[in-house]
Amino acid sequence: MSPSQPAISHKPGLLIVDDDPLIVDTLNFVLSADFDVFTSASREACIRQLRDAPQPPSLALVDLGLPPRPHRPEEGFALISELLAHSPDMKIFVLSGQNDEANARHARTIGAIEFIAKPADPANIRHLLLAALSFGDSAQRSKPEVAGKATLIGESLPLQKLRTQIRQFADSPFPVLIEGESGSGKEIVATSLHEFSVRRDKPYFALNCAAIAPTLVEPTLFGYARGAFTGAANAKSGYFEDAADGTLFLDEIGELPLELQSKLLRVLENGEFQRVGETLTRKSRARVIAATNRDLRREVKEGRFRTDLYHRLSVFTLDVPPCARWGAIALPCSTTSVTSMLLAAIPHRSACQKMPNSSGCCMPSPAMCVNCATS
């Protein structure tokens, strides 16, 4: 990427994109002992360098405020997406003075693995870069491609981005919030996060908060003591306890009753919970993945979802686009469900609630109803 660099180097490449010469020179001085450092002052210059490079760098430090609008984060966000489109395995760190929470969350959502606020200690930056590099190498050696029930099929750009984010977020201990319409594949994404992580050999539990009576959610999650309620003949552990060092997937988290949201928040904050009917405090080490088809930001504004719980759950956010916008060959689905999902996209027959061949069929056309069809 630079004629002054040797043709062959055994050091990992590091791309620094910042329009402040003092910051660039300081980082170059500190980091050049461990990395082949390449620098750019703008998004356009960076993309030109990448196109001319024999291979992309392994790591990148990207400022959000870049020319021609250095006081806004849009250029930095656009560059992150372009870097990952060019090299999906690149590990991107954001180093920016525009360090409000919304910018940090959005940077992680589109693919950055960490947000570092300016001013930052160059030695700490060096430590983070080396840790990310060594972690990625060991994970690559230990994790084969997942070929099982959680296979994402297709090569569309949205799906490639989703795969990249899954790989980046899989081993983080922080929660992940998966957002998307019903039927878009959120549960498959959650399972993929587990199977691509170091927890893949640990337990995986899933609870659909909308498919269980509200009174049963608390004992299911936290367990209960003997005699805690009618029918509790014996003590029983809950999902948080049974998941141990594994993963707990909470589907349709927006349906969780308000009175239980504070208890879930406590587990996310310090890992502590109590079984129903017990005073003994227990600890959970499970990694929480949540999914919702609701707009939780709107739910927060309308008082149906706790603000602090939303912020805890959305450290990393994955947006799963509707299948209908992706095309038939780019659906996020398991290999066993491809046929059923493709069939779901075309008109098909299903039974209405009327008697066979009776008038008033509830389907748009009687030919689509197995009870009312004449052929």
Side-chain angles (χ1 to χ4, degrees):
M1 294 176 68
S2 172
S4 62
Q5 296 291 336
I8 299 177
S9 173
H10 299 293
K11 293 188 291 187
L14 169 64
L15 173 65
I16 300 176
V17 188
D18 199 305
D19 62 340
D20 188 328
L22 179 59
I23 291 177
V24 171
D25 291 344
T26 302
L27 291 175
N28 195 354
F29 176 78
V30 173
L31 301 174
S32 58
D34 299 286
F35 304 95
D36 277 334
V37 179
F38 312 107
T39 63
S40 295
S42 68
R43 178 168 66 95
E44 291 184 357
C46 174
I47 297 304
R48 286 196 300 268
Q49 280 187 313
L50 281 178
R51 288 170 180 166
D52 296 336
Q55 63 181 25
S58 303
L59 300 161
L61 273 173
V62 176
D63 186 16
L64 292 183
L66 296 172
R69 291 173 292 179
H71 300 297
R72 297 184 60 84
E74 286 81 4
E75 284 292 303
F77 290 147
L79 179 57
I80 293 172
S81 298
E82 291 174 342
L83 289 176
L84 290 174
H86 184 275
S87 178
D89 293 327
M90 184 182 295
K91 297 175 176 62
I92 300 176
F93 289 77
V94 172
L95 178 63
S96 179
Q98 302 184 33
N99 56 357
D100 60 85
E101 185 177 345
N103 284 342
R105 181 179 294 109
H106 185 63
R108 295 188 182 102
T109 298
I110 62 176
I113 66 172
E114 187 56 88
F115 190 101
I116 307 171
K118 292 180 179 178
D121 180 6
N124 184 51
I125 294 175
R126 173 182 173 274
H127 172 75
L128 291 173
L129 292 172
L130 289 173
L133 194 64
S134 61
F135 177 80
D137 291 342
S138 62
Q140 187 67 28
R141 289 192 299 268
S142 63
K143 286 193 295 188
E145 285 293 315
V146 174
K149 60 183 179 180
T151 303
L152 297 176
I153 299 173
E155 294 300 330
S156 68
L157 288 178
L159 195 53
Q160 290 180 29
K161 175 183 174 183
L162 189 59
R163 282 200 193 97
T164 298
Q165 291 178 315
I166 288 172
R167 289 196 298 267
Q168 291 174 331
F169 299 165
D171 282 318
S172 169
F174 301 112
V176 175
L177 179 63
I178 305 170
E179 298 178 320
E181 294 181 1
S182 296
S184 60
K186 297 188 295 297
E187 186 170 0
I188 297 298
V189 173
T191 310
S192 297
L193 283 165
H194 175 75
E195 293 188 355
F196 272 100
S197 75
V198 294
R199 302 171 185 258
R200 63 188 178 279
D201 295 325
K202 306 294 184 180
Y204 175 90
F205 283 81
L207 175 67
N208 188 326
C209 299
I212 184 173
T215 55
L216 296 179
V217 175
E218 184 175 5
T220 301
L221 287 177
F222 304 117
Y224 52 86
R226 180 181 178 182
F229 50 83
T230 303
N234 297 292
K236 191 177 187 304
S237 58
Y239 280 11
F240 270 108
E241 203 167 338
D242 294 339
D245 294 311
T247 301
L248 177 56
F249 173 48
L250 302 178
D251 199 5
E252 303 304 345
I253 190 68
E255 304 290 339
L256 193 69
L258 267 173
E259 58 269 22
L260 289 183
Q261 292 180 20
S262 60
K263 297 185 178 182
L264 176 58
L265 177 65
R266 184 187 180 194
V267 183
L268 295 177
E269 287 179 335
N270 53 32
E272 295 181 350
F273 70 95
Q274 294 172 332
R275 290 182 180 180
V276 177
E278 261 190 7
T279 57
L280 175 67
T281 297
R282 300 174 184 269
K283 281 281 190 177
S284 170
R285 299 179 301 276
R287 196 261 185 104
V288 174
I289 299 173
T292 181
N293 62 1
R294 293 190 179 189
D295 183 348
L296 289 189
R297 289 167 289 276
R298 179 183 299 173
E299 297 293 301
V300 167
K301 290 180 181 178
E302 296 180 359
R304 292 191 291 266
F305 203 84
R306 292 179 61 111
T307 304
D308 44 9
L309 178 58
Y310 170 71
H311 289 312
R312 280 283 177 179
L313 288 171
S314 61
V315 174
F316 295 119
T317 303
L318 287 173
D319 182 25
V320 184
C323 290
R325 294 213 315 260
W326 290 19
I329 63 170
L331 298 175
C333 51
S334 66
T335 53
T336 59
S337 65
V338 176
T339 303
S340 61
M341 293 188 72
L342 291 178
L343 290 176
I346 62 175
H348 61 285
R349 294 178 176 179
S350 59
C352 73
Q353 303 302 313
K354 306 296 181 182
M355 294 297 293
N357 298 317
S358 64
S359 60
C361 178
C362 61
M363 300 298 291
S365 166
M368 297 173 62
C369 178
V370 295
N371 284 341
C372 305
T374 58
S375 61

